[in-house]
Amino acid sequence: MELQEQIRRVKELLGGSGRGGARDHEIAEVESRLGTIFTDDVRMLVSAFNGSENSTHIDHGWVMFWPLSEWKRVADEPAAVGGSEMPNAILFADHSIVSWWYAIDLTPGAVTAAVYLVDGVGPDHLVTSSISGFLQAIIDDSDALYRRVASPH
């Protein structure tokens, strides 16, 4: 499934609560504030919708997308820093009223933005290597969206 179609499907899963897309100057302002350049997939996502008023349904990850104005580095969120090994990753969404965060890694030169689960306790967990993969995980309610809990021995 192409990124545009995935964005459309996730907007549907948000029940019409997706905000209008960000404009080029808003994107540039946030890139400047965060000291980064968005990959094309991130740019497509925020151009389609700039955060959401509600989360996706519990059967589709229970993900709330943040407006660009709320995006921040992991290092700037005291509760997220705990076990994170990626202080420069950018928090852009959360699960179930901030039970944990989703962060994008915008390593310079990257073609796509890898998405990580950051919980403020343990090491970061790679959800997927792209925004497209993240959106597909929401559509499919993939286990990759959820924090891994160690099983008792």
Side-chain angles (χ1 to χ4, degrees):
M1 185 179 303
E2 288 189 28
L3 181 57
Q4 298 252 3
E5 177 62 14
Q6 291 168 321
I7 290 170
R8 187 192 66 72
R9 291 278 311 278
V10 168
K11 284 175 72 172
E12 286 177 2
L13 293 172
L14 288 165
S17 75
R19 295 180 173 103
R23 297 190 173 123
D24 289 341
H25 75 276
E26 293 170 308
I27 294 170
E29 287 171 9
V30 174
E31 287 176 326
S32 177
R33 176 173 58 84
L34 295 173
T36 193
I37 301 294
F38 292 163
T39 53
D40 289 344
D41 56 350
V42 171
R43 208 172 270 284
M44 284 178 69
L45 177 68
V46 298
S47 293
F49 69 98
N50 184 8
S52 59
E53 299 291 334
N54 297 313
S55 300
T56 57
H57 189 270
I58 195 168
D59 292 336
H60 290 281
W62 210 355
V63 176
M64 169 77 81
F65 288 88
W66 299 358
L68 280 173
S69 62
E70 295 179 18
W71 288 25
K72 58 186 160 186
R73 295 207 179 269
V74 170
D76 295 328
E77 174 53 58
V81 173
S84 181
E85 299 156 349
M86 302 178 59
N88 290 321
I90 298 168
L91 302 172
F92 76 103
D94 66 72
H95 169 81
S96 176
I97 313 168
V98 196
S99 293
W100 59 75
W101 301 265
Y102 296 105
I104 50 175
D105 178 18
L106 294 172
T107 302
V111 176
T112 62
V115 179
Y116 288 82
L117 185 155
V118 176
D119 66 9
V121 179
D124 306 316
H125 167 70
L126 177 66
V127 174
T128 183
S129 61
S130 67
I131 291 293
S132 177
F134 182 65
L135 298 177
Q136 192 63 50
I138 292 169
I139 293 164
D140 297 341
D141 193 31
S142 168
D143 288 343
L145 293 170
Y146 303 99
R147 182 170 44 192
R148 294 184 178 191
V149 178
S151 59
H153 288 65

